[in-house]
Structure formats: C-alpha cells, structure tokens
Amino acid sequence: MKFFRKPYAYASVFGCLLLASFSYSLLKTFVISETISKVTSSQTASQTSSKASQAAQNASRSDNSYKDDNISINLTEKTVANTQVYVADVTVSSPEYLKTALAQNTYGNNVTAKTSVTAANNSAILAINGDYYGANRTGYVIRNGQIYRNSIREDADNGDLAIYKDGSFGIVYENQTSAEDLVKQGVVNLLAFGPSLVENGKISVSENSEVGQSMASNPRTAIGIIDENHYIIVVSDGRTSESKGLSLYQLAEVMQSYGVKTAYNLDGGGSSTLYFNGKVINKPTTNGNISERAVSDIVYIGY
C-alpha cells in the first residue's frame, strides 16, 4: 500500500504546484501591479496646471460646452438604438492639445486609475479612456513620442490608430512596420485596440464585426477626425435597462454621420468613460453597477 501512496502523493504535490503556478500567472496578468518605468514629460505637472489655470480664467463654460482661445468643445447627447450616446465636437488651435496620459504617471502592467482621476491629475478639460494597454503583454505602446513597448500585438491584423505630430490620424499595422519607424515617421501617440471604424470616410467594419467574443451591444468609446485639428469623440452607455449599447457598426454609423475621415474604436465595456468640465458625464458600468473601472491610460484635451 505504501508503494502506491507515493505516486499519488507526488501527483498531488505536482498538481498543487501547477495550480499555484497557474494562479500566479493569472494574478500577474490581471491583478498584480508592476511598475516598469515612470513617464517622462516635456513639461512638469506644475507647468501644465499653470497653463490650464491661465486658460480657464479666460474660458467660457457651461454644462455642455467649453471655449477658450485654443480649445472649443461642444457636447451633445442623443439616443441611438435605445442607447444614450454622448458626442463631443472638439476643435483645437494646435494638435499639442490632443494628449494622452498613463495612470499614476507610470508605465507598467496593471497600473491603473479611474479615468476621472487621471484626467484631474492632468488638468484635462475633456477625457476618455484609452486602449488599456496594461491588460496585454504585447502590442506597441507609444506615448508622447516615446516607445514603452515594441513587441508586436498578437492580433496584428487589427490596425492601430496612429496620431501624428501634426494631429492627423492614420491606421497602421504592427506586422508591417516597427515602433521605431513609426516614431521616425512622426507618430506621437499610438492606440492599439480597434478595430478602425471609418477609413477615408467609409465604414470599415461589417454589421457582424465585434471585439473578441464580446456581445453585439456594448458601452463604446471612439475617436475620429473630421479635418485638421477637428475631432469627434463618442462614448455610449450600455448594459443597463436605460441603454442597451451599440454594435461596432452602429458606432461607425454615428461617426460617419459627423463626416469623419478616420475613426477608431477604443476600449469599451466597463472602461467606457467620458469626463468633461470636472465630472463624469456618462454612466460607466462595472460588474452591473454604475461605477468607473480603473484603466491604464486616457486620451484627453487639455494643456
């Protein structure tokens, strides 16, 4: 009997070790925060705050608008397919006011903060969640002209949104170019989620397109460009009795209706958040509750 117990004991120990290893792998992927580097910036937080403060003194604001010498934002709400949709029409005098920021001013795995927190920390006038790069181990990460990760994303056939120094948009594919070449070509920020919704003014997704195994109707976040320094940002609610959510095709239709040349789908679901004039405008849903999900990064308008 003792002879037979040893193999079972070894198998039990091996099984426990395997389970522990798998559990740790899951924790490291989705939970454990790992700082890799601090964000470098051309200007300090105090300089940013000072510029924002000066602009705010001359700005006119309302619940659905903001306007100063460099930035104009008009926010509208509409109902599309039984879903509350928020549309921000943004015009800036220079592309430098279209920015990105990482949660906790840190690049790393599972380093997160709520969109509203990161927005407030960067004196953002308007902000949305970004691509949640920290939930993935591959895919280019380029922010403010700096390369933080240069490994090709697993779904490389899904294009990235390249935001160039002149403020223009382009759809690029990681399996066709390097992160270093993109920076040389003038890419300042790269958002790797997708898919693209509109290219050259035409809808680029089908009615059956979806992100992974997601449901057809979801909260969504997207950004598009109409013309030079003229952008459209769309956030939709979803997964509630009040708002069903949009499909990718419906989101693309909304974007196209505003005359965008290029539009791109960002992280959605519980991440979808719109922050404007110091408060969250939409109703983010996390695990069935109306609350913000902490994310890795934001896209914002500000100084």
Side-chain angles (χ1 to χ4, degrees):
M1 292 293 292
K2 291 182 179 180
F3 175 78
F4 290 105
R5 287 175 185 169
K6 283 187 176 181
Y8 289 123
Y10 292 147
S12 178
V13 170
F14 178 75
C16 289
L17 290 173
L18 186 63
L19 178 62
S21 175
F22 178 70
S23 298
Y24 175 74
S25 177
L26 287 176
L27 286 171
K28 188 173 182 181
T29 301
F30 298 108
V31 179
I32 297 174
S33 176
E34 179 185 5
T35 296
I36 297 176
S37 65
K38 285 291 185 179
V39 173
T40 57
S41 177
S42 58
Q43 57 186 15
T44 65
S46 61
Q47 288 175 321
T48 299
S49 180
S50 176
K51 286 184 176 182
S53 178
Q54 292 174 9
Q57 291 178 5
N58 300 318
S60 60
R61 299 173 184 258
S62 72
D63 289 342
N64 56 13
S65 67
Y66 174 97
K67 185 173 179 59
D68 65 26
D69 293 339
N70 299 301
I71 297 170
S72 175
I73 302 171
N74 288 297
L75 182 66
T76 57
E77 298 180 26
K78 60 195 300 184
T79 301
V80 177
N82 297 316
T83 300
Q84 192 70 11
V85 177
Y86 309 83
V87 181
D89 190 314
V90 180
T91 303
V92 293
S93 64
S94 167
E96 66 179 299
Y97 304 120
L98 173 61
K99 299 171 175 286
T100 61
L102 304 185
Q104 302 182 40
N105 204 37
T106 299
Y107 167 71
N109 299 318
N110 300 313
V111 178
T112 63
K114 292 180 179 179
T115 293
S116 60
V117 172
T118 306
N121 287 342
N122 287 274
S123 300
I125 299 165
L126 179 144
I128 53 174
N129 59 287
D131 65 4
Y132 209 151
Y133 76 85
N136 302 300
R137 296 294 170 140
T138 60
Y140 296 165
V141 178
I142 301 174
R143 297 293 191 277
N144 301 314
Q146 181 172 343
I147 299 170
Y148 290 97
R149 188 168 67 201
N150 60 3
S151 57
I152 297 175
R153 64 190 294 187
E154 294 178 0
D155 54 341
D157 290 335
N158 205 9
D160 298 353
L161 177 66
I163 302 176
Y164 293 87
K165 189 175 182 179
D166 64 1
S168 61
F169 285 5
I171 304 299
V172 300
Y173 294 86
E174 295 182 13
N175 55 4
Q176 297 177 5
T177 185
S178 68
E180 291 76 13
D181 282 343
L182 288 173
V183 171
K184 289 178 182 177
Q185 293 163 16
V187 174
V188 176
N189 292 295
L190 190 76
L191 299 167
F193 198 86
S196 64
L197 300 169
V198 177
E199 295 183 40
N200 299 315
K202 297 181 179 180
I203 292 177
S204 52
V205 291
S206 72
E207 294 189 36
N208 297 318
S209 294
E210 196 41 77
V211 179
Q213 302 299 314
S214 296
M215 301 178 296
S217 299
N218 282 294
R220 305 284 184 179
T221 302
I223 186 170
I225 186 168
I226 294 177
D227 208 341
E228 183 178 3
N229 297 331
H230 187 186
Y231 307 98
I232 288 290
I233 287 171
V234 173
V235 172
S236 76
D237 288 332
R239 301 178 183 173
T240 70
S241 58
E242 296 178 354
S243 290
K244 180 181 178 182
L246 299 181
S247 69
L248 286 176
Y249 189 81
Q250 289 169 331
L251 182 62
E253 286 183 313
V254 172
M255 276 293 186
Q256 189 187 48
S257 71
Y258 286 91
V260 300
K261 295 177 180 176
T262 303
Y264 190 78
N265 179 59
L266 296 172
D267 186 20
S271 299
S272 288
T273 305
L274 175 64
Y275 172 96
F276 182 54
N277 278 340
K279 62 183 180 181
V280 175
I281 301 299
N282 70 314
K283 295 179 179 178
T285 54
T286 302
N287 298 323
N289 299 314
I290 306 299
S291 63
E292 281 187 80
R293 172 192 288 171
V295 295
S296 299
D297 58 308
I298 66 170
V299 179
Y300 73 101
I301 303 296
Y303 291 89

